[in-house]
Amino acid sequence: MSQPSKDKLIRTLLGRLDSERVLGGKWLEVGGHIEDAPLVEMPIEEQEEAPVAKKKTSGSNKDKKLQLADVAETIAACTKCPLHKSRINPVPGDGNPNAQIVFVGEAPGQNEDEQGKPFVGRAGKLLTKIIEAMGLKREDVFICNILKSRPPDNRDPRPEEIVACMDYLFEQIAIIEPQVIVALGSHAAKTLLNTTEAIGKLRGRFHEYQPGPFAKPVKLVATYHPAYLLRNYTKETRQRVWDDMKMVLNEVGLPVPRRQA
């Protein structure tokens, strides 16, 4: 990301955080680290400069796997923000290097930090159920977060931390070349789309996401975070998420499974 782009993102994030404080509000959902809600069934049809990761070159699925491994190594060595001091493990993301669909959350939580893998807590189990309801497996998609390290005490990411990690997300998307990005939750959607619009207004339609100043746009769908569904387990919210996933499946040319009872 160019320096002017980073400066603009920082200003936007700081302004958004100030607005939240003035209004006395909080993000509707936080990243993949709400682990205190009970797991329920989802019956749907849920400071130093670090070295720069290698540039993407077109090639085979094996080449993409190696390129993503290079990015993961760079993330593991990153010291661009203080989070590297408090984390147990970096969480670069994992999945299919040639995935048609990339799921992006906000930040790792405690379980993710301990295992070094994204979405492995209660919210992650619900995300797995949603992916399986789509007729897919976790191994068919790529799952990651905007932040690659857990914020202490699961606090909200700070603007400078987001900016420090965004280039890694850009690089991963450039390597994978997905057809659709699914932003999980309000915080991830607002950050990726650089907006303050509510998740309820962002979901249900495609957005054009620009992963870096020189990359081609990718279609993005915003939906509710699995952790939000754990706290708001209603027919209405589950239906909205399923409607969003049907949009994704139609876009990538995959069949839509029949909804389960």
Side-chain angles (χ1 to χ4, degrees):
M1 185 191 296
S2 64
Q3 189 59 45
S5 297
K6 289 182 179 180
D7 292 341
K8 180 180 178 182
L9 180 57
I10 290 175
R11 290 195 299 269
T12 301
L13 291 167
L14 287 174
R16 188 195 312 158
L17 291 172
D18 286 341
S19 297
E20 293 285 339
R21 295 189 188 100
V22 170
L23 295 173
K26 295 175 70 68
W27 296 113
L28 182 59
E29 301 90 24
V30 295
H33 54 260
I34 294 182
E35 305 300 338
D36 56 352
L39 180 62
V40 294
E41 293 298 319
M42 185 66 178
I44 58 173
E45 250 184 32
E46 194 109 345
Q47 182 122 346
E48 299 169 359
E49 287 293 329
V52 178
K54 294 181 180 180
K55 296 293 183 180
K56 175 187 178 299
T57 56
S58 59
S60 67
N61 194 57
K62 181 178 179 180
D63 293 333
K64 290 187 176 185
K65 184 176 181 179
L66 293 174
Q67 291 174 61
L68 288 173
D70 287 339
V71 176
E73 289 181 6
T74 304
I75 291 169
C78 182
T79 58
K80 292 195 289 184
C81 79
L83 292 182
H84 74 279
K85 299 177 182 179
S86 59
R87 74 187 180 197
I88 298 174
N89 290 297
V91 187
D94 64 8
N96 187 344
N98 203 37
Q100 294 174 288
I101 306 167
V102 171
F103 290 87
V104 182
E106 174 196 355
Q110 180 178 352
N111 289 288
E112 290 76 20
D113 188 36
E114 292 172 350
Q115 300 184 39
K117 295 182 178 296
F119 283 86
V120 292
R122 292 189 178 95
K125 291 177 182 178
L126 184 51
L127 175 60
T128 299
K129 289 181 180 292
I130 294 172
I131 293 170
E132 291 173 349
M134 297 170 71
L136 301 169
K137 299 179 181 178
R138 281 182 65 114
E139 294 78 13
D140 297 324
V141 303
F142 193 86
I143 305 173
C144 61
N145 287 290
I146 294 172
L147 291 196
K148 309 304 184 183
S149 300
R150 178 196 181 194
D153 301 318
N154 292 341
R155 61 161 170 74
D156 286 344
R158 293 171 178 165
E160 62 271 20
E161 295 165 351
I162 293 174
V163 172
C165 271
M166 284 299 289
D167 283 341
Y168 299 132
L169 180 61
F170 290 161
E171 185 73 10
Q172 289 172 320
I173 293 172
I175 292 168
I176 298 168
E177 297 180 309
Q179 290 179 252
V180 178
I181 294 170
V182 178
L184 296 169
S186 177
H187 204 153
K190 289 178 178 181
T191 298
L192 294 179
L193 296 174
N194 195 20
T195 183
T196 58
E197 196 168 4
I199 185 69
K201 294 183 178 180
L202 292 173
R203 61 152 301 275
R205 57 192 171 99
F206 284 108
H207 303 266
E208 188 174 273
Y209 175 61
Q210 185 72 40
F214 305 111
K216 63 180 180 181
V218 181
K219 287 191 175 181
L220 183 148
V221 170
T223 196
Y224 296 114
H225 196 284
Y228 175 76
L229 294 176
L230 289 174
R231 297 171 307 179
N232 297 271
Y233 188 69
T234 67
K235 182 178 180 180
E236 183 180 22
T237 55
R238 286 179 288 140
Q239 182 62 52
R240 288 175 179 175
V241 172
W242 182 236
D243 288 343
D244 294 336
M245 296 306 100
K246 288 194 294 184
M247 288 175 51
V248 173
L249 289 171
N250 286 327
E251 179 62 26
V252 301
L254 293 176
V256 177
R258 295 186 63 180
R259 182 168 178 173
Q260 300 173 3

